[in-house]
Amino acid sequence: MKNICILFVLFALLAVPALAVRLQVVTTYPYIADLVEQVGQDRVRVHAMAGGQWDPHTIVPKPSFIAKLRRADLLVINGAQLEIGWLPPLMNQANNPRTNVGSSGLLDLSRYVELIDVPTSVSRAHGDIHPDGNPHFHLNPDNIPPLAQAIADRLAEIDMENASFYLNNCEAFTKKWEERLPIWAEKMSALRGQWVIEYHKNYDYLLHHYGIQLLGTVESLPGIPPTSRHIVALEQKIQNNAPRCILQDVYNPAEASEHLARKFDIPMIVLPHDIGAVREAEGIFSLFDEIIRRLTHE
Amino acid sequence: MKTISWGALLLSLTLMTAPATAQGSTKGSGNPFEQSKFVPDISLIVDVSAAYRNFLDSRYEQFAIPGFSSPYADNPAEELEGMNGRRGFNFNYGELVLYSVVDPYFDLFGVFTLNEDEFGVEEAYFTTRFLPYGLKVKGGKFLSHFGRINEQHTHYWDFANAPLVHNVFFGESMLNDKGFRLTWVPPTDFYLLFGGEIMQGENAMSYGHDGIANPAGDTVIEEAGGPNMFVAYVKTSLDVGNLTILGGVSNAYGSTRSNHGLDVAGEPGEAVSGDTNVLGGDLTFKYMFDSIRYVSIQGEYVYRHFNGRQYTKDETDTVSDQALKRRQGGLYAQVVGRLTKRWRMGGRLDLLHLNNIYLEHIKQDHPSNLPRFTTMLEYNPTEFSRLRLQYSYDRSRFELLSAGDLRRPTHELVFQINLAIGAHGAHAF
């Protein structure tokens, strides 16, 4: 007991210099961290908890995340229940009142975009559905500027001294982003109206934006691996509609998609869903560059 | 534990959820005193199992672990084992969990165990949400954070029962008591947690504070005033690439008072009084191959140190006492792997390796190195449902016969189904 008391004091002393001057921002996913960096640059220190190669629904809640959350001035989350399976206990264990629900230190990005596929009836009989709508909204390039704006506004609110710095950076970022939109749109125009298949409903916002039609998902229900019956039905659809490709993410098993690709001689394209999912996707710009390059490659 | 009828419980649940279902139809024209948005997160977990053992229940119940369970306990096995207790079908538990933010200052959690005819409060506690400097206070009735597995709820365990060492030192309810906890997460780059708990000190296997009298009503053992159990722990963690290591040391110290029939006239009985100090160390390695597959190695060592007196009473109600020392220790070590999204398998070794009991400084003849081997295979259709098949070979149990204690190796096969509905219960590491 006495030893533990001494340890307490020792670590209290050690901890003082660790309190950094820069604003500490923690984000759940890498794409959010990059947006924070674009806006905050050298005035913030950003840490993304999840790696881009992991399944965003089931991130392993490592204790090291607690240490990061403990010191966060701002926690930026995707929201729309994407983090529900792993984040709440971490926040609870971090003992950080700045990032409580309802505090200015918690920013939920899903509030700043319109969600698609909001289910009219919510039941887990439909698999692991998201009652607020599809949470993978960052893959619509039009959604990126409002997300950056939300981050800039919040940074400006909690760090008023640097408010104009954040807002100016955001404006510059948005301008740069908007210059890319027509280039991407042009490349993607070849896909407009075509059918595709995806493993999980990861890319719906992207498909929507570029007018690509979704023929079906390889998994039978959200979060539920494909059954043979489901595959048979999907094969029928493939025969009737001749989809352009099958979109596979980097974390779900690819066997079923590979099987369909071989059987019907259509390409299976591995698409990054976030920064770091594939080597080429190093930032928010290169994530979209790479997605579009892979989709329009052949 | 308070006994209430299932009807009353269902009624109260219906009342809580009714406004939520009515909301859709009355939107806009509705009740100006609408409260449904304030309904807390609710979830219900149900656990049932089928068990087989190579002994009938009436016989198995009489088996004890010498030195760890009192020879005077009415039902030694029941004291050690709550889950899958019967050969055949078992309703292990229903668990009702309620959670909500109270106000800007507190969160409130309630975890209620529903048995066939009982409604029990497993946990009911508040935590603070406003304290600065990485501090948090928890108060109420809750599972101690001693070691690794003690704080985890039953449905989160990797096996169908608790480790043997936790059963013998803390009982089937684990170290679960009324009190307060203060935790501090220092602002270090790596994870570090300091915690201290002050508990009432009520635990069937190791702690207690009530005074004990003989059949005539004369005090034999003085009451130890509560609160009188203290827990302290430190935990830390390290990431090396895809490998996460979590370790901690814990200490629980408190008064011991236990009574097995010392106050009952005309029968032999015993009681124990003294102080118990339990030390624990835990270590977990978890390696993620990818988003789905992992292998996790986890182990805990627990050592119990008791100094005090043992009071024994014969049929003529004559009480005699002698100095009692216990130096006991045990561990569990387990390997669990997730092979695909739905399949998990694992094995666990339980070992009570140290069982030294001294009466008047003379070492008693009790067996040590008592092992149990367990293996399990799990199928998880989704994260809300789990089917588990578990086999264990238990060499820790003995039949206490007048001619001496006889080891009764027990084979146990359990098929367990665990289902959860309602609010999504995310789990800690």
Side-chain angles (χ1 to χ4, degrees), chain A residues 2-16, chain B residues 184 186 194:
Chain A
K2 198 183 275 172
N3 287 341
I4 286 173
C5 286
I6 293 168
L7 270 177
F8 255 96
V9 175
L10 204 75
F11 277 105
L13 291 174
L14 273 177
V16 174
Chain B
W184 180 48
F194 295 93

Side-chain angles (χ1 to χ4, degrees), chain B residues 358-386:
Chain B
Y358 302 89
L359 275 174
E360 293 297 334
H361 312 291
I362 298 160
K363 187 166 178 278
Q364 303 298 296
D365 184 26
H366 284 305
S368 57
N369 286 324
L370 304 169
R372 182 176 70 182
F373 307 93
T374 309
T375 177
M376 70 86 182
L377 180 67
E378 238 178 49
Y379 180 71
N380 296 274
T382 65
E383 58 193 298
F384 306 101
S385 55
R386 180 199 301 135

Side-chain angles (χ1 to χ4, degrees), chain B residues 219-231:
Chain B
T219 301
V220 177
I221 300 169
E222 288 286 339
E223 176 188 340
N228 63 11
M229 206 261 280
F230 308 92
V231 181

Side-chain angles (χ1 to χ4, degrees), chain B residues 180-192:
Chain B
F180 282 90
R181 170 193 298 173
L182 176 69
T183 52
W184 180 48
V185 183
T188 45
D189 275 327
F190 59 100
Y191 171 69
L192 194 60

Side-chain angles (χ1 to χ4, degrees), chain A residues 14-176:
Chain A
L14 273 177
V16 174
L19 298 166
V21 201
R22 286 198 288 174
L23 206 62
Q24 304 274 338
V25 183
V26 173
T27 75
T28 47
Y29 302 110
Y31 86 87
I32 307 175
D34 196 63
L35 290 179
V36 173
E37 244 160 32
Q38 299 280 353
V39 169
Q41 295 182 10
D42 59 343
R43 312 242 165 125
V44 298
R45 178 173 289 167
V46 196
H47 178 84
M49 288 185 279
Q53 73 279 31
W54 303 111
D55 180 348
H57 306 79
T58 54
I59 300 298
V60 175
K62 295 180 186 176
S64 58
F65 298 165
I66 297 168
K68 297 286 187 284
L69 286 168
R70 153 71 174 85
R71 297 191 297 157
D73 298 302
L74 174 63
L75 167 63
V76 191
I77 66 170
N78 184 89
Q81 304 220 349
L82 189 55
E83 291 101 346
I84 194 122
W86 62 278
L87 185 60
L90 292 169
M91 289 172 67
N92 195 23
Q93 288 169 289
N95 299 5
N96 181 355
R98 293 188 294 277
T99 58
N100 276 342
V101 173
S103 309
S104 61
L106 177 67
L107 176 61
D108 174 357
L109 293 181
S110 67
R111 309 251 163 201
Y112 298 87
V113 292
E114 203 175 315
L115 300 187
I116 60 171
D117 293 342
V118 180
T120 45
S121 87
V122 172
S123 163
R124 290 202 180 116
H126 307 137
D128 201 1
I129 58 158
H130 298 282
D132 298 338
N134 186 322
H136 309 289
F137 51 77
H138 70 281
L139 292 181
N140 176 349
D142 276 351
N143 281 345
I144 296 296
L147 298 182
Q149 190 64 50
I151 291 167
D153 289 346
R154 188 58 65 89
L155 285 173
E157 186 190 328
I158 57 179
D159 182 18
M160 287 195 310
E161 244 172 68
N162 293 311
S164 55
F165 176 79
Y166 301 131
L167 296 171
N168 290 339
N169 286 344
C170 180
E171 206 175 307
F173 167 77
T174 304
K175 196 158 164 271
K176 215 171 124 197

